[in-house]
């Protein structure tokens, strides 16, 4: 009797400690069946079955015990595992130079609902954060879903551990604005459940792409992106964001790529930030940026609709060369095994992949660095998905603890 109780207890303990790893495997699409889950966790079939059943009881995943067998397949197919499409969500928010966007993001990085807002971002961070939190609260109310927490992406380095926006160069915010505290207060005041987190937008994009997109399986993933203004970078090492000693690593926007170039907000000259962003592209193409839509959208429209225009072609080559120069410098320092490009940089890669790869290869001469794969990001709202990852992390670490159900 006593022996049996001990066995049951230890199986439960083992099961509980496997809940987080199991959820992460389903969340990132690496365990599509119970058989794969069993193998990945290195547990018995019975333990894997109990773990999957517990995650299903928590409303996080679905276990399909009768998946349609593929024609001609042998034997009984393993139970299929998917995230529960009706399960809880994280509230994700993003601030950028042209406004904000709120979204609800489920497990698997799935955007369930989203609402954009186009505003002139005021010098008072609380003003735009209040708007994006109100927008997110509205989405939550309409959905009727349980919320696991909230995450915010900002176009600035976020200093650790203070949670301050250190260099919001393209917003009118004061340097050092306490964005994490402001966001957390607004989320709590709106009655939204769960903890609140804040991170840099490109860091969060890289995290989401590593878990759900173009970065899956990379060990040393370098991400470089230009969203609305400026250029950001991020590095994911063995699945974890490398943020440096105080959150400020990978400020790639201030690499010099054109010593004779235009002055930068940082006080330097010819930085990637001002030489390879949408404004630089529109200017190089001789276009006057208009106020109707974001600079990113104007640049995309120009690339799509006027790719054969000599001015647009020349501007594309100029930006590809500058971006390539910056990437080569980073490759020589970081030796990544994959590079992913976001925002306008993804479009520049698509417009002239050979030229970009050639510039990077020419300038990175050692070993295999010159041959590092360069891919475009694949998630539509990767900064928002990454902000949601922050809010999902406590659930991924300890599903039972985070969702507040006592252990059996
Ligand atoms: Zn600069």
């Amino acid at each position: 009797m006593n022996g049996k109780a001990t066995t049951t207890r230890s199986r439960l303990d083992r099961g509980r400690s496997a809940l987080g790893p199991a959820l992460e495997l389903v969340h990132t699409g690496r365990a599509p069946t119970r058989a794969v889950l069993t193998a990945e966790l290195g547990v018995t079939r019975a333990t894997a079955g109990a773990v999957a059943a517990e995650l299903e009881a928590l409303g996080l995943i679905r276990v399909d015990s009768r998946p349609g067998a593929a024609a001609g397949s042998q034997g009984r197919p393993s139970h299929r595992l998917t995230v529960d499409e009706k399960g809880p969500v994280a509230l994700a928010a993003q601030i950028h130079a042209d406004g904000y966007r709120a979204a609800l993001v489920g497990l698997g990085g799935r955007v369930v609902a989203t609402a954009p807002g186009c505003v002139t971002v005021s010098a008072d961070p609380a003003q735009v954060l209040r708007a994006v939190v109100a927008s997110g609260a509205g989405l939550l109310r309409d959905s009727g879903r349980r919320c696991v927490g909230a995450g915010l992406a900002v176009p600035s380095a976020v200093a650790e551990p203070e949670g301050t926006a250190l260099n919001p160069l393209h917003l009118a915010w004061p340097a050092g604005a306490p964005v994490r505290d402001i966001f957390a207060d607004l989320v709590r005041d709106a009655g939204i459940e769960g903890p609140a987190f804040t991170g840099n937008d490109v860091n969060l994009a890289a995290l989401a792409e590593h878990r759900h997109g173009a970065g899956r399986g990379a060990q040393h993933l370098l991400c470089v992106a230009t969203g609305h203004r400026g250029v950001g970078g991020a590095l994911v090492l063995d699945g974890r964001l490398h943020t440096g000693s105080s959150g400020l690593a990978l400020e790639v926007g201030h690499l010099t790529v054109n010593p004779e170039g235009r002055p930068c907000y940082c006080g330097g000259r010819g930085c990637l930030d001002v030489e390879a962003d949408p404004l630089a592209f529109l200017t190089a193409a001789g276009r006057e940026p208009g106020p109707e839509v974001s600079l990113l959208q104007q640049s995309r429209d120009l690339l799509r609709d006027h790719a054969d225009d000599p001015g647009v072609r020349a501007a594309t080559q100029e930006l590809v060369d500058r971006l390539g120069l910056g990437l080569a410098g980073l490759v020589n320092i970081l030796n990544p095994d994959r590079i992913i490009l976001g925002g306008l940089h993804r479009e520049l890669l698509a417009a002239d992949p050979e030229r970009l790869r050639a510039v990077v290869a020419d300038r990175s001469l050692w070993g295999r660095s010159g041959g590092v794969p360069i891919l475009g990001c694949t998630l539509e709202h990767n900064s928002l998905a990454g902000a949601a990852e922050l809010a999902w992390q406590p659930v991924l670490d300890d599903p039972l603890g985070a969702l507040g159900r006592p252990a059996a």
Side-chain angles (χ1 to χ4, degrees), residues 187-228:
V187 165
R188 198 191 49 235
D189 293 350
I192 295 166
E193 282 179 77
F197 304 87
T198 299
N200 166 263
D201 53 4
V202 179
N203 275 346
L204 297 178
L207 185 63
E209 291 285 345
H210 185 267
R211 291 184 178 177
H212 308 292
R216 279 175 67 172
Q219 297 294 308
H220 297 252
L221 178 69
L222 172 65
C223 175
V224 174
T226 177
H228 291 253

Side-chain angles (χ1 to χ4, degrees), residues 254 264 266 271:
H254 302 285
C264 179
C266 73
C271 297

